[in-house]
Amino acid sequence: MGTVVDDAASVEFHAFFERHYAELARLAALLTGEADAADDLAADALLALWHRWDRVRAADHPVAYARGVVANLARTRIRSAVRERRRITLFWSQREEKTENPDVPGMVDVQEALRRLPFRKRACVVLRHAFDLSEKDTALALGVSVGTVKSQTSKGMAELQRLLGTQDAPRQVHRAAVSGATGGRNR
């Protein structure tokens, strides 16, 4: 990391830590609304400051710099939580449908073929064809680009069609999901 640590810098940082840790933790708690995460954010901020202590101690207002680091970490945490909530909401918001007299052997074949796909291809195929999500919503749910969704869905469907020996794989995947036999969560 290239940080030169001398005794004077160590003593100075320790004093800075003692003086400002509680304030930085309060700031993190107020910014995130999460008292439990505040200590972690303050500690992460102070660790980042320690790695750049030579620049921080030379700054005109080291406390302001520290507050900025806490604010940036809090912003990142909030954005991450929002993205995760969106993914969960998108995944579970789809309406639940049931089919009368499902084709159980067909569903078992689809399930087995899906299990043979790598995770990302499987996730794209299931979200696009079983849950009828758009490419954009699928990308958002998986945290990938729309282009990745397009390519992984295309490759996954080609592989499923080969494994199932049919061109009707999209409809089979949808029927398997609607029948509720894909091992998904029942609400």
Side-chain angles (χ1 to χ4, degrees):
M1 293 181 198
T3 304
V4 176
V5 180
D6 61 18
D7 289 337
S10 180
V11 168
E12 188 178 348
F13 177 79
H14 183 73
F16 182 88
F17 181 98
E18 292 296 324
R19 256 191 330 271
H20 300 290
Y21 176 80
E23 172 195 347
L24 295 174
R26 279 193 312 275
L27 174 63
L30 290 171
L31 292 175
T32 64
E34 300 176 17
D36 295 342
D39 286 333
D40 291 341
L41 284 173
D44 289 346
L46 285 162
L47 180 62
L49 293 173
W50 172 244
H51 288 298
R52 295 173 190 84
W53 187 243
D54 55 332
R55 282 185 269 160
V56 175
R57 70 197 278 211
D60 290 337
H61 303 285
V63 176
Y65 186 89
R67 290 179 188 136
V69 172
V70 169
N72 287 334
L73 290 172
R75 181 181 310 117
T76 300
R77 182 177 184 87
I78 290 167
R79 285 180 178 164
S80 177
V82 167
R83 279 193 303 271
E84 184 64 22
R85 284 186 200 118
R86 281 187 194 142
R87 288 180 190 137
I88 291 168
T89 300
L90 279 171
F91 186 78
W92 293 115
S93 68
Q94 300 302 309
R95 66 188 184 283
E96 194 170 310
E97 303 172 24
K98 294 289 180 192
T99 302
E100 296 290 323
N101 303 318
D103 175 15
V104 175
M107 290 186 307
V108 170
D109 291 344
V110 170
Q111 288 175 336
E112 184 56 38
L114 284 169
R115 275 191 215 103
R116 293 177 68 184
L117 294 178
F119 175 78
R120 186 171 286 170
K121 286 181 188 173
R122 181 177 2 146
C124 288
V125 166
V126 168
L127 290 173
R128 292 280 294 124
H129 294 285
F131 287 87
D132 295 321
L133 290 186
S134 68
E135 290 168 341
K136 181 181 175 187
D137 288 342
T138 300
L140 190 61
L142 297 175
V144 298
S145 71
V146 171
T148 299
V149 169
K150 288 179 181 182
S151 69
Q152 293 295 296
T153 302
S154 175
K155 291 174 183 175
M157 288 309 297
E159 209 168 318
L160 270 181
Q161 288 171 345
R162 183 184 59 75
L163 291 168
L164 295 171
T166 179
Q167 296 297 315
D168 195 29
R171 201 166 307 136
Q172 286 181 311
V173 170
H174 182 75
R175 275 195 307 257
V178 169
S179 298
T182 58
R185 177 179 139 183
N186 291 329
R187 292 189 273 178

